[in-house]
Structure formats: C-alpha cells, structure tokens
Amino acid sequence: MTALQQNDRWRWLTAGAVTVCLLAFALLTGLLAWQGMRAFWPQPVDLYQLRQPDGTTQVLLGETVETTRLSANGQDADGSVTRYLLKTGNRDVAAPDFRVILSRDALTVTQPPEVMVVQRRSGGNALGWFVELRQDNETLTAQNIAALLQQRLEKVHTLLRQASAIRHTDMARVNNQLRALETQAEAQRSANAFTPQTQSEYQANRAALQRRFSELSTRLAALQQESVRDALILRDVQGRERSIPLAQIVDAWHPNAMSFSQKWHHFLHQVWHFVSDSPAAGPSEKGAFPAIFGTVLMVLLMSVLVMPLGVIAAVWLHEYAGRHALTRLVRIAVVNLAGVPSIVYGVFGLGFFVWLVGGTLDQLFFARTLPSPTFGTPGLLWAALTLALLTLPVVIVATEEGLSRIPDSLRQGSLALGATKAETLWHVVLPMALPAMLTGLILAVARAAGETAPLMLVGVVKMVPELPVDAVFPYLHLDRKFMHLGFQIYDLAFQSPNIEADRPLVYATALLLVLIILSLNLVAMGLRHRLRERYRIMTQ
C-alpha cells in the first residue's frame, strides 16, 4: 500500500468524522427548533363534549398538544383507541392544565371560530369567549371591537413601559444621588468639615432630591392607576364570566379564525416577545431577554479577563521560562486543571472570590453598609472570574501551541536587525500567534457559555429585579446578580411547578443558548481566518 493511498484513507476518514459531527449538530438544532418554536405557533382550540360514566355530558375547551394511538388490550377489546392530551388553560380556576381524553369518550369535537386565547403575564393562557371590554366598569362599544381591544392593549403596554422606565431609571438615579449625598455628608462629618454653610447646601440638595422623588412617585402612581382601568370580560367553557385587567394581558387572538398569513405574523410576534421581553412573576411567563443579556455579558467579561491571563502565562512558559522542573510542574498543573469538574471551580469561587476577596473589599471600602454585603455576595464579577479560571488552561494550551508553530528564524531575524526580545515578541511573535489565541478563545467561550453548576454558587439567580447594566452610574454594576440561559433551562425543566406546560420553553431556551454560542464562535472564527490569511505569507 502506497503512502498516497494511506493519505487518501485518512482524508476520507477525517471527512466522514466531520460530516457526522455536522449532521449531529444539524439534527440537534432541528430538534430544538421543532420542539421549541411550535410553542409560539397559534394552535387551534378544540371543544370536546365528553360522555361521563353517570350518563351526563362534560364540556372541555383546550389545545390538543399530543395525539397517541393506543393498541387494543384486554380492557379495550373493541379495537384501538386514540388518546388526546388536552391543554385546557385557565390554570387559576380550572387546574390542572392538562387532561387526558380517550376517543371513545368524546361525543363531538369542534373548533368554534369565536374562541379567544388570552396570553397573561402570569397564570398561563386563558381560554373562552369574548364578552365585552370595560373601562372603569363601563362597557366600551365600537364597530370593530377587535381593533379597539388591540388599541387599548397597546396603550396599556405603553403605560407599563413608562412606569417601568420611571421605576428602574429615574427613581433609581435619584436614589443613587441621595446615597452619594449622604456618603459625602458622612465623610464631611468624620473630617469635622461639616460647616453651617455645608449643612445648608446639604439640606437644600436633599430637599430638592426628595421633591423630585415625590414627583416621580406621584407620576408612577398615576400611570399605574391609568393602566388598570381597562378590563376584558371572558366567558369560560362553564359559562362563568371573568374580568381580566388589560395590564395582565400580553396578547389576545382567535386561533380558529386566523388565516395562514395571520398565523405567521402572530408567530413572529410571539418569538420577538420571547426574545425581547422579561419574565413576570410566574415561572411560565415567556421572556428570556434578561437571561440572554446576562449570558452574553458574562461571556464577554470572562473573555476580557481570561485572554490576558492565558496569553501572559503561555508567553512566560514558552518564551522565558525555559525547560526545567518548574515549567514541567506548571504544565502538569495546567493539564490537571483542565480536567477538574466545574462544580469544584464553583466552590472555589464561592470561598475565595466571594467570601475572602469580596468580604475584604466590603470591610475596606464599604464598611458603612455592613452587615449588608456589597461585593461579599455572589455577583457578575465573581461569576466571570470563576469561569475565567475554569477556561484558563484551554487558553494557555492553545496559545502555547500557536507560539511553538512560529519558526525560530523569524525571531532570530528580528533580533539580528537590532530588535530586543520584548520588541520581537510584541511586533512579530504575538501578531502571528493571534489565530491560536482566538482558537483558545473559541474553546473557552464554548465551554463557559454552557456552564451552569458553578454559576449557581457565584451569581446566577432565577429572577432579577434589574439588569447589571442601566442608566445609573457606574452603569455596569459588577456586584449584581444576573440571569443565565443555562440556569433558566435547568429551572424550567426541573423546578417548574408545571413542567408539561413549560417543556416547549425548555427547547426554545436551549435553542437560544446554542445559537448564541454559535454566533460568538462564528465571529471569533471569522476574525481568526482573516488573521491567519494575513500572516500566512510571513510563515512560509
């Protein structure tokens, strides 16, 4: 067998392995997309009339989410039957959400076009028939009541956004200014510099801030009162009428009467709502923006922290340390660190970064706020540092391999032209090793973005009142806790009180996490390709 034939076999084997990996990734992404995206498509609502054992008739209204053909057995001697899994909605008054129906018990199954689905901010969807729209307990009339409902919903959503902006931006800024004013006054008192003139200025500024806060509070109360004036009256399948405030409604639609184009418009709107909105009080509320923002911000902050440390360590090992027992010991330690379970890094981050470093910072710089911790509690900074430590061995190994592939003739040529070793390293070696550094960054991002176990100890929570970034100085708040897509997947899959209803959201959130990791890696791979082409001629 010739060497060319052996090379062909290895080439085909490599191509086959790559094809299998790409096919597996495509199948995984397709499965996540199919299972997750169907939650946003408007499903038809079925009206079942069921035969009861006592001869009476029961009526159920819901979405048929699963149909299973059951084979005949001893109990079903007449033949096979069909089992329907029905999602009834109206969880707050007609729990549980899901009912199992057998085809032999269903007298009739219809799809009334007048049925309305109301997506609420908490409590799941409400199903029923639209009765009327009220404002301050007075019935609103219009020729096109559906258009009026959408108009009122948009107005209420605008009021809620304005109220949220006042609460999380304007009032937060005033509170921050009040804290800064109190801190300044306390420092002046400690330094015996709190003169009558200073005290007068302090009281005037404090009164102005309190007056501004009172004005914002009054405006916020007015917006909240305005947002709860409108209500939708919905009649359920049992004939009971219920009042649902428009402030609790995200959207409302008639799925059985929608055309295909209307369904597509509704689908895109629901996907955008899921990506851009925040979850409300209930765990089933759709909205993943805080988790997306927290995941991307943590990965970017981790990358900023791990790349300088990894590159410096790799440069020291390859360019300066030489070959002796210490470098061999360091390389063994780096390899062993790469195999340490991630939960161990979480425990280390909690003990070292949070309790030791964070507690020390609180005692030195935030003693006035103790015993309430500032940095001595899990937060974004400690999560990023923990993941930077976890991915550090990957960056070190990839960077050192890139440094080893640079010909020594380039270093010697630079030194022969009069450049120092540091100048050679900065202007020749490191630019040519950038593709290898980006390879380490790609591997680090892929691992860090999917980690969940260590983050549960050092900063990730189920729900946050505000994002780590806002309009209040210093704008990026490293001490705040944050949400993460990986933890949201875990919470929806294992901690949700209604797992069956939240299962599509698990797939949708997993798809989001895969797409975010893929996007970050594609950006780094594109940059690596450009740098590799740029310095290829120099290495030939």
Side-chain angles (χ1 to χ4, degrees):
M1 183 181 295
T2 64
L4 182 60
Q5 291 176 336
Q6 291 180 351
N7 290 336
D8 288 340
R9 288 188 175 184
W10 282 110
R11 188 179 298 115
W12 280 106
L13 181 62
T14 304
V18 172
T19 302
V20 170
C21 293
L22 292 177
L23 182 61
F25 178 76
L27 291 176
L28 173 63
T29 307
L31 174 64
L32 295 177
W34 172 255
Q35 296 290 339
M37 294 298 100
R38 68 177 184 177
F40 308 114
W41 185 264
Q43 302 294 333
V45 178
D46 299 322
L47 179 64
Y48 286 82
Q49 289 188 355
L50 305 177
R51 181 192 304 109
Q52 297 297 307
D54 57 0
T56 60
T57 301
Q58 181 185 9
V59 182
L60 288 180
L61 184 69
E63 302 174 2
T64 305
V65 298
E66 183 179 326
T67 302
T68 307
R69 194 73 173 177
L70 302 178
S71 60
N73 51 37
Q75 296 179 352
D76 299 317
D78 295 336
S80 61
V81 297
T82 302
R83 186 187 69 175
Y84 302 103
L85 182 62
L86 188 68
K87 182 180 179 182
T88 60
N90 301 330
R91 180 186 311 163
D92 47 347
V93 295
D97 281 3
F98 292 85
R99 309 287 180 89
V100 175
I101 300 173
L102 299 179
S103 58
R104 63 189 180 189
D105 298 328
L107 298 175
T108 60
V109 182
T110 58
Q111 293 182 352
E114 302 86 5
V115 170
M116 173 178 284
V117 178
V118 178
Q119 181 184 356
R120 298 179 293 181
R121 298 187 180 276
S122 60
N125 293 343
L127 308 180
W129 286 263
F130 175 80
V131 178
E132 61 183 3
L133 195 62
R134 294 178 182 175
Q135 181 179 20
D136 296 332
N137 294 324
E138 296 183 1
T139 302
L140 298 176
T141 58
Q143 293 182 350
N144 190 344
I145 194 65
L148 178 61
L149 174 60
Q150 295 300 324
Q151 179 183 358
R152 290 283 177 169
L153 274 176
E154 183 61 31
K155 177 183 177 181
V156 170
H157 293 169
T158 302
L159 294 174
L160 292 177
R161 286 193 295 268
Q162 293 175 355
S164 178
I166 291 176
R167 185 185 301 108
H168 294 105
T169 302
D170 298 334
M171 297 181 73
R173 185 181 290 112
V174 173
N175 281 328
N176 188 59
Q177 293 174 350
L178 281 171
R179 285 193 296 268
L181 185 64
E182 294 293 342
T183 301
Q184 181 182 4
E186 184 66 24
Q188 291 174 344
R189 292 190 185 96
S190 301
N192 294 326
F194 200 63
T195 62
Q197 181 180 357
T198 305
Q199 182 177 3
S200 177
E201 294 177 355
Y202 160 75
Q203 293 176 348
N205 292 334
R206 189 170 185 273
L209 291 175
Q210 289 179 339
R211 189 162 52 249
R212 173 59 178 166
F213 190 86
S214 178
E215 294 174 355
L216 292 173
S217 300
T218 303
R219 185 181 174 189
L220 177 62
L223 288 174
Q224 291 176 339
Q225 184 178 3
E226 179 70 18
S227 65
V228 298
R229 295 179 59 190
D230 299 340
L232 181 149
I233 308 301
L234 193 73
R235 185 179 72 252
D236 61 17
V237 72
Q238 306 299 332
R240 297 168 297 190
E241 294 187 357
R242 303 170 53 205
S243 176
I244 305 177
L246 294 192
Q248 294 296 322
I249 298 177
V250 177
D251 199 0
W253 63 95
H254 296 85
N256 296 339
M258 297 174 69
S259 63
F260 185 75
S261 60
Q262 290 174 334
K263 290 183 178 180
W264 264 107
H265 181 269
H266 175 83
F267 170 77
L268 296 176
H269 175 74
Q270 287 291 307
V271 172
W272 173 250
H273 167 66
F274 174 69
V275 173
S276 62
D277 203 4
S278 301
S284 62
E285 167 63 16
K286 302 175 184 178
F289 177 74
I292 297 173
F293 188 87
T295 302
V296 175
L297 181 60
M298 184 209 63
V299 169
L300 293 179
L301 187 58
M302 180 275 302
S303 303
V304 172
L305 294 173
V306 73
M307 284 304 295
L309 295 176
V311 171
I312 291 173
V315 168
W316 178 80
L317 284 173
H318 191 270
E319 302 290 334
Y320 291 96
R323 297 182 178 275
H324 46 76
L326 178 59
T327 56
R328 288 196 297 270
L329 182 62
V330 171
R331 286 189 173 90
I332 292 174
V334 169
V335 173
N336 289 334
L337 283 175
V340 174
S342 59
I343 190 64
V344 177
Y345 285 97
V347 174
F348 175 81
L350 179 64
F352 181 76
F353 292 128
V354 178
W355 292 345
L356 180 60
V357 179
T360 302
L361 290 176
D362 285 347
Q363 293 177 1
L364 293 177
F365 302 104
F366 304 97
R368 286 185 295 271
T369 63
L370 293 176
S372 177
T374 302
F375 281 97
T377 184
L380 176 63
L381 176 61
W382 308 134
L385 282 173
T386 301
L387 289 187
L389 186 63
L390 185 148
T391 56
L392 183 62
V394 177
V395 178
I396 293 176
V397 172
T399 304
E400 191 174 4
E401 289 180 356
L403 293 172
S404 64
R405 289 196 296 265
I406 299 176
D408 290 336
S409 59
L410 294 176
R411 297 180 177 86
Q412 296 170 2
S414 176
L415 295 174
L417 292 175
T420 63
K421 188 173 183 177
E423 291 173 341
T424 300
L425 179 67
W426 183 258
H427 295 287
V428 178
V429 177
L430 288 182
M432 297 179 63
L434 275 177
M437 299 179 194
L438 292 176
T439 299
L441 177 62
I442 292 170
L443 298 174
V445 168
R447 184 178 183 187
E451 288 292 344
T452 303
L455 298 179
M456 295 169 64
L457 300 175
V458 291
V460 167
V461 292
K462 177 179 178 180
M463 191 75 62
V464 291
E466 50 194 355
L467 295 175
V469 176
D470 56 21
V472 179
F473 183 82
Y475 310 118
L476 175 60
H477 303 272
L478 298 176
D479 58 316
R480 289 182 183 175
K481 297 177 175 60
F482 64 102
M483 296 178 65
H484 188 271
L485 286 173
F487 183 77
Q488 186 164 333
I489 295 171
Y490 165 79
D491 181 70
L492 289 173
F494 299 103
Q495 303 296 322
S496 174
N498 199 345
I499 298 177
E500 191 70 30
D502 292 334
R503 183 179 299 173
L505 296 183
V506 175
Y507 288 103
T509 308
L511 177 64
L512 268 179
L513 181 58
V514 170
L515 293 179
I516 287 175
I517 296 175
L518 180 62
S519 301
L520 293 173
N521 287 343
L522 287 177
V523 171
M525 290 169 64
L527 183 59
R528 180 184 64 180
H529 178 73
R530 292 188 59 183
L531 293 173
R532 181 178 294 167
E533 293 296 327
R534 179 179 178 182
Y535 294 105
R536 175 174 293 179
I537 299 177
M538 298 178 61
T539 58
Q540 292 179 349

